[in-house]
């Protein structure tokens, strides 16, 4: 390990293990704190006030770090009764420097973030601490709030459902705790405001991202969407859902070798055309029909209830594959979402029209200064640095981690794995040692719990179906005799405390070996596996972890593990366990290959989205200028002076200025909404250019630039057309008659990773060998491109 670290440093790795450079800062902090210990409350607050004045008179607060951190350390000791460790102080310095601090679970990341948040908030320009969920944002703001207030700063937090006024107060605070998604949604809403007084956010300065691997990696490409009501009529998705139930696998349709996609057979095509009473399903006039058919097939046969989604409170709720939680406000693309709702006999939800959208990745990059912290960062170091310029500094634990991570137990089939898993849980439970079992899906967690109950072993189940009970379940997961079955969520952001608050019980459990973590599946990323292991062994506690896996597990079927294994590897289908070390090496190699492939796809797709994001910024800046200045009025006076004079006979100059501003903003938003639909059309079809020997990315850039230039010209043209049509009715402008009508309602949601994205991504990424073969990919590309094309046509401006 030591030689590996030296090699990484020599080749210029973005991972830093050398903490010697922080010793000088620690010495200065400790020196200042010795002075502060003798100060009374009045003197401490006076020092804090003086520090704030210094910060607002300088362009950089770097030189104030030792004194500021010493102040925080002393106030934390007095107010919270906590003594910040040297490791936390080093992490706090790293975070202020705009880097990512990797701190193990239970090492006090929440407290470490207070130091840089306070220092950077002294300038008066605001700091955002972006957390994993609303609960953590509220908890951390309440927990650390007394420290900030003692030091003369205001702290606020944002929660889903807050009013505009409460959001404004929270954002005007010196430090604001909130989720990245809420911050992103507020950014999108502000981008659609017509009046400055309705804007909630102020200019961004600095963000500290907690649980950075989840927010910056796992959810990076998830688009945040704000949508408005649409007058589009729903198609008969229920009828299509009933139709596909009449089709038979094998004869009417066939799965690809990985069961990731399916396609109609020749016989199935004839059968479907008869049922739909159409001569040629692939004719241009039937492409919408073909789209709905494929969505219905996908929803019925590829998306699994209690694995990919759950049904709760009459709604389809997606399950996040990385966390196992319900993916809040997330949905699949509209056609597939409607097909899934029809499959489950639920009310088809209105899809609306997308008014604005931004990925979390691009939103986070809007902060001029960014830093982060998480427990699992090293395996994603390239991604952190490439997309966010975040170098990683590995902070050693305050107490050495003594958890034992055992080699995987590998079985030839699921039945053998299941038998061994149940025996292991039964034997360990007899000693009263707490056990946490990490499963892949809601269905698997509940099935495993059922087997345990049959054996007389009581257990708690934590999954997307009962995520509201997460805190209560996790609080008991480290107690004597506890058995907790969980999906990947497993209390992220909260610690599983050995013995809870009972020190005697903790001592007894430590003697038993601490929390035993069992994984029932490997994930595509080793980082996700390490997150599960990290639930045990906090703050020097003992603990163990082990994964039970089989060749029948989803990941190994998907990536054909057996094909990668040498014929010399001994695999006995009847064997209780496979112990060939070459098999273990291949399993680890699969994870590395998949991680590399996924990163290459992300890089390529980033190039496509980056151009659109730059265009959004150009239009957003123009929109902001329109809101703050009188250029809309000046434009109308220059290009339509007669109409201006006509209107001024009925309304005053100020009101006409507001009319021109509203008119301009309406057409900017309308044009951008249309552009988003058009660019999606282009992007889904651009991959066909490769067949003609062209470079899809270059062609995409060319077409996107042409569309954007056209968009900007059309905004002015349509503004003038509408302005000329304005009429005054009862001393006011009749906007509705002129076609200026805002949506009657808007809502926010996230679009789940497109189920067809794997195919599109592999196409854009070049010669990357992925699971989905090209022969299965082209029909999906074809019908999905036509789906987008038709959607784009429906959303054309009047």
């Amino acid at each position: 390990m030591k030689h590996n670290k030296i090699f990484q440093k020599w080749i210029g790795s973005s991972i830093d293990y050398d903490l010697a450079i922080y010793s000088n800062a620690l010495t200065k902090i400790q020196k200042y704190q010795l002075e502060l210990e003798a100060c009374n409350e009045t003197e401490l607050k006076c020092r804090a006030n003086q520090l704030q004045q210094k910060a607002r008179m300088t362009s950089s607060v770097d030189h104030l770090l030792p004194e500021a951190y010493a102040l925080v350390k002393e106030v934390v000791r007095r107010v919270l009764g906590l003594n910040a460790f040297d490791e936390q102080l080093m992490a706090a310095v790293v975070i202020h420097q705009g880097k990512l601090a990797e701190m193990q679970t239970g090492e006090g990341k929440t407290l470490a973030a207070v130091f840089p948040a306070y220092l950077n908030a002294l300038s008066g320009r605001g700091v955002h601490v972006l957390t994993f969920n609303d609960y953590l944002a509220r908890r951390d703001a309440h927990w650390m709030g007394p420290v900030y207030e003692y030091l003369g700063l205001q702290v606020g937090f944002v929660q889903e459902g807050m009013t505009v006024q409460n959001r404004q107060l929270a954002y005007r605070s010196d430090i604001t705790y909130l989720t990245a998604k809420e911050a992103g949604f507020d950014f999108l809403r502000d981008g659609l405001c017509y009046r400055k007084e309705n804007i909630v956010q102020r200019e961004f300065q600095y963000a500290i991202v907690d649980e950075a691997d989840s927010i910056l990696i796992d959810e990076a490409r998830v688009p945040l969407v704000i949508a408005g009501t649409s007058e589009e009529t729903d198609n008969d998705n229920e009828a299509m859902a009933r139709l596909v139930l009449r089709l038979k696998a094998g004869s009417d349709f066939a799965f690809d070798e990985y069961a990731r996609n399916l396609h109609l057979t020749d016989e199935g095509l004839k059968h479907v055309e008869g049922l739909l009473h159409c001569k040629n399903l692939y004719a241009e006039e039937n492409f919408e029909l073909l789209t709905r058919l494929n969505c219905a097939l996908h929803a019925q046969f590829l998306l699994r209830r209690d694995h990919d989604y759950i049904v709760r409170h009459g709604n389809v709720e997606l399950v996040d594959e990385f966390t196992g939680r319900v993916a809040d406000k997330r949905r699949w693309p509209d056609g597939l979402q409607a097909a899934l709702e029809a499959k489950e006999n639920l009310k088809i939800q209105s899809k609306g029209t997308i008014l604005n959208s931004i990925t979390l990745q691009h939103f986070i990059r809007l902060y001029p200064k960014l830093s982060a912290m998480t427990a699992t960062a090293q395996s994603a170091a390239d991604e952190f640095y490439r997309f966010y310029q975040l170098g990683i500094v590995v902070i050693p634990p305050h107490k050495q981690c003594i958890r034992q991570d055992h080699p995987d137990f590998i079985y030839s089939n699921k039945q053998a794995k299941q038998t061994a898993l149940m025996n292991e849980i039964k034997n360990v439970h007899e000693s009263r040692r707490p056990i946490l079992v990490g499963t892949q899906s809601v269905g698997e967690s509940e099935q495993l719990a059922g087997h345990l109950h049959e054996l007389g072993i009581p257990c708690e189940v934590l999954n997307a179906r009962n995520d509201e009970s997460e805190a209560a379940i996790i609080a008991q997961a480290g107690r004597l005799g506890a058995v907790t079955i969980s999906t990947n969520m497993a209390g992220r952001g909260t610690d599983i405390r050995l013995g809870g608050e009972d020190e005697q019980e903790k001592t007894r459990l430590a003697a038993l070996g601490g929390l035993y973590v069992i994984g029932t599946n490997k994930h595509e990323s080793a980082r996700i596996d390490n997150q599960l292991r990290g639930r045990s062994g906090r703050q020097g506690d003992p603990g163990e972890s082990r994964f039970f896996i089989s060749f029948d597990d989803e990941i190994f079927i998907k990536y054909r593990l057996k094909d990668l294994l040498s014929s010399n590897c001994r695999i006995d289908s009847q064997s209780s366990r496979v112990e060939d070390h070459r098999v273990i090496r291949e399993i680890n190699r699969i994870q590395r290959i998949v991680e590399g492939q996924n990163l290459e796809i992300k890089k390529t797709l980033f190039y496509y989205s980056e151009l659109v994001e730059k265009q959004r910024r150009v239009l957003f800046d123009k929109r902001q200028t329109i809101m703050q200045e009188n250029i809309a009025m000046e434009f109308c006076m220059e290009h339509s002076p007669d109409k201006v004079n006509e209107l001024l006979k009925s309304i005053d100059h100020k009101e006409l200025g507001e009319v021109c501003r509203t008119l301009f903003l309406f057409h900017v938003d309308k044009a951008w909404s249309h552009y988003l639909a058009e660019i999606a059309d282009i992007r889904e079809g651009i991959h066909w250019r490769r067949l003609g020997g062209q470079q899809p990315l270059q062609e995409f850039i060319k077409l996107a630039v042409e569309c954007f230039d056209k968009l900007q010209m059309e905004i002015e043209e349509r503004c003038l057309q509408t302005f000329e049509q304005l009429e005054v009715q009862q001393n006011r402008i009749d906007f509705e008659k002129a076609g200026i009508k805002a949506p009657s309602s808007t809502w926010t949601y996230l679009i789940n990773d497109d189920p067809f994205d794997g195919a599109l991504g592999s196409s854009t990424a070049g010669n990357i060998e992925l699971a989905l073969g090209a022969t299965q990919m082209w029909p999906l590309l074809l019908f999905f491109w036509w789906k987008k094309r038709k959607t784009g046509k429906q959303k054309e401006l009047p």
Side-chain angles (χ1 to χ4, degrees), residues 397-446:
H398 180 62
K399 293 182 179 179
Q400 190 63 37
C401 179
I402 60 173
R403 182 186 68 243
Q404 294 182 310
D405 295 326
H406 297 294
D408 302 334
F409 277 174
I410 306 169
Y411 298 88
S412 57
N413 58 71
K414 276 192 175 181
Q415 184 57 50
K417 180 183 84 168
Q418 184 76 5
T419 301
L421 178 63
M422 298 305 293
N423 288 335
E424 181 81 350
I425 295 173
K426 182 176 181 293
N427 292 335
V428 174
H429 178 64
E430 287 176 354
S431 71
R432 305 289 290 160
R433 185 181 181 186
I435 304 170
L436 173 67
V437 185
T439 61
Q440 188 179 44
S441 68
V442 173
E444 185 188 0
S445 66
E446 294 175 344

Side-chain angles (χ1 to χ4, degrees), residues 80-97:
L80 301 181
L82 300 174
N83 184 33
F85 305 134
D86 286 352
E87 291 82 7
Q88 288 173 308
L89 291 174
M90 285 189 288
V93 176
V94 167
I95 295 169
H96 169 70
Q97 291 176 341

Side-chain angles (χ1 to χ4, degrees), residues 74-110:
E74 179 61 21
V75 173
V76 165
R77 185 182 69 83
R78 296 189 186 191
V79 174
L80 301 181
L82 300 174
N83 184 33
F85 305 134
D86 286 352
E87 291 82 7
Q88 288 173 308
L89 291 174
M90 285 189 288
V93 176
V94 167
I95 295 169
H96 169 70
Q97 291 176 341
K99 299 177 183 178
L100 190 157
E102 183 181 87
M103 300 176 70
Q104 297 306 308
T105 301
E107 288 295 306
K109 293 188 288 292
T110 302

Side-chain angles (χ1 to χ4, degrees), residues 508-696:
R508 180 181 174 185
L509 289 172
L512 291 174
L515 179 67
Y516 185 27
V517 170
I518 298 175
T520 64
N521 295 271
K522 285 282 192 174
H523 297 87
E524 291 191 359
S525 171
R527 177 173 50 80
I528 308 297
D529 295 338
N530 291 335
Q531 287 173 7
L532 179 60
R533 296 185 196 274
R535 308 320 300 168
S536 176
R538 65 182 290 277
Q539 294 186 358
D541 289 343
E544 292 181 73
S545 72
R546 189 187 298 278
F547 278 78
F548 285 68
I549 57 180
S550 80
F551 292 139
D552 291 339
D553 290 347
E554 185 174 312
I555 182 175
F556 302 130
I557 292 175
K558 180 176 169 181
Y559 293 103
R560 297 189 296 186
L561 172 64
K562 290 184 180 179
D563 292 351
L564 293 175
L565 295 176
S566 166
S567 58
N568 296 326
C569 293
R570 185 170 179 273
I571 304 175
D572 183 355
S573 60
Q574 302 302 317
S575 173
S576 60
R577 204 169 91 219
V578 178
E579 300 188 40
D580 193 322
H581 292 291
R582 288 170 293 183
V583 175
I584 298 174
R585 285 199 301 269
E586 286 301 325
I587 289 173
N588 293 333
R589 188 165 75 93
I590 283 177
Q591 282 188 317
R592 292 195 298 272
I593 290 172
V594 175
E595 286 173 346
Q597 289 176 346
N598 288 338
L599 178 57
E600 287 303 315
I601 290 174
K602 285 180 180 179
K603 289 178 187 176
T604 305
L605 294 174
F606 177 79
Y607 297 141
Y608 282 82
S609 59
E610 178 69 358
L611 173 63
V612 177
E613 171 57 18
K614 287 179 178 177
Q615 292 172 334
R616 187 202 60 76
R617 292 187 194 183
V618 169
L619 207 62
F620 179 80
D621 289 343
K622 181 174 184 177
R623 196 182 191 285
Q624 291 296 96
T625 304
I626 293 169
M627 282 191 68
Q628 296 169 9
E629 299 178 11
N630 292 320
I631 62 171
M633 176 72 167
E634 292 168 1
F635 177 82
C636 292
M637 291 178 67
E638 179 182 350
H639 292 88
S640 187
D642 292 339
K643 187 65 177 181
V644 169
N645 291 330
E646 176 190 330
L647 294 175
L648 284 175
K649 295 176 181 177
S650 304
I651 59 175
D652 61 31
H653 194 276
K654 182 180 179 181
E655 186 177 351
L656 183 58
E658 287 292 328
V659 168
C660 295
R661 183 180 295 113
T662 299
L663 189 64
F664 233 107
L665 294 175
F666 172 82
H667 281 296
V668 167
D669 296 341
K670 189 80 171 176
W672 180 244
S673 177
H674 173 68
Y675 176 76
L676 289 175
E678 188 173 9
I679 208 66
D681 178 357
I682 293 172
R683 181 170 166 175
E684 299 300 344
I686 201 66
H687 317 292
W688 292 106
R689 301 299 179 100
R690 189 183 295 277
L691 300 178
Q694 297 173 310
Q695 291 296 324

Side-chain angles (χ1 to χ4, degrees), residues 105-275:
T105 301
E107 288 295 306
K109 293 188 288 292
T110 302
L111 179 58
V114 174
F115 294 83
Y118 168 69
L119 176 59
N120 288 271
L122 290 173
S123 65
R125 291 182 290 154
V127 172
H128 292 176
V129 183
L130 303 178
T131 64
F132 186 67
N133 56 39
D134 272 359
Y135 162 72
L136 293 175
R138 184 174 64 253
R139 183 201 71 176
D140 294 352
H142 284 313
W143 186 12
M144 298 300 159
V147 175
Y148 296 122
E149 291 163 5
Y150 191 107
L151 292 166
L153 298 182
Q154 290 182 316
V155 61
F157 62 91
V158 175
Q159 304 276 276
E160 182 182 354
M162 267 187 172
T163 64
V164 169
Q165 292 74 21
N166 287 337
R167 288 175 184 271
Q168 288 173 332
L169 288 173
Y171 283 116
R172 287 169 189 164
S173 299
D174 298 297
I175 298 102
T176 308
Y177 285 84
L178 72 165
T179 65
K181 286 182 280 194
E182 277 303 306
F185 285 140
D186 281 332
F187 174 78
L188 293 178
R189 292 187 193 99
D190 282 353
L192 295 173
C193 281
Y194 280 28
R195 295 180 177 276
K196 289 185 286 185
E197 55 266 30
N198 292 332
I199 292 176
V200 299
Q201 291 179 337
R202 51 178 167 161
E203 189 175 352
F204 293 161
Q205 182 210 188
Y206 176 43
I208 301 171
V209 183
D210 194 6
E211 302 293 355
D213 56 329
S214 176
I215 295 172
L216 302 183
I217 303 297
D218 296 341
E219 298 192 345
R221 285 183 48 236
V222 174
L224 307 173
V225 172
I226 183 166
T229 49
S230 171
E231 295 179 358
E232 292 182 34
T233 57
D234 288 333
N235 292 310
D236 192 359
N237 294 286
E238 292 87 352
M240 194 63 76
R242 291 192 297 270
L243 182 147
V244 298
L245 288 175
R246 300 171 66 178
L247 305 181
K248 297 180 181 179
S251 57
D252 290 321
F253 63 89
F255 295 95
D256 69 2
E257 58 182 318
Y258 306 99
R260 290 282 305 280
N261 252 301
L262 50 80
H263 60 277
L264 291 173
T265 62
D266 290 342
E267 182 181 339
L269 179 60
K270 292 178 182 177
H271 187 187
V272 168
E273 287 175 342
L275 293 172

Side-chain angles (χ1 to χ4, degrees), residues 310-323:
I310 64 172
V311 175
R312 185 168 62 175
H313 309 311
N315 295 310
V316 168
E317 297 186 345
L318 278 66
V319 176
D320 188 289
E321 63 178 307
F322 297 108
T323 67

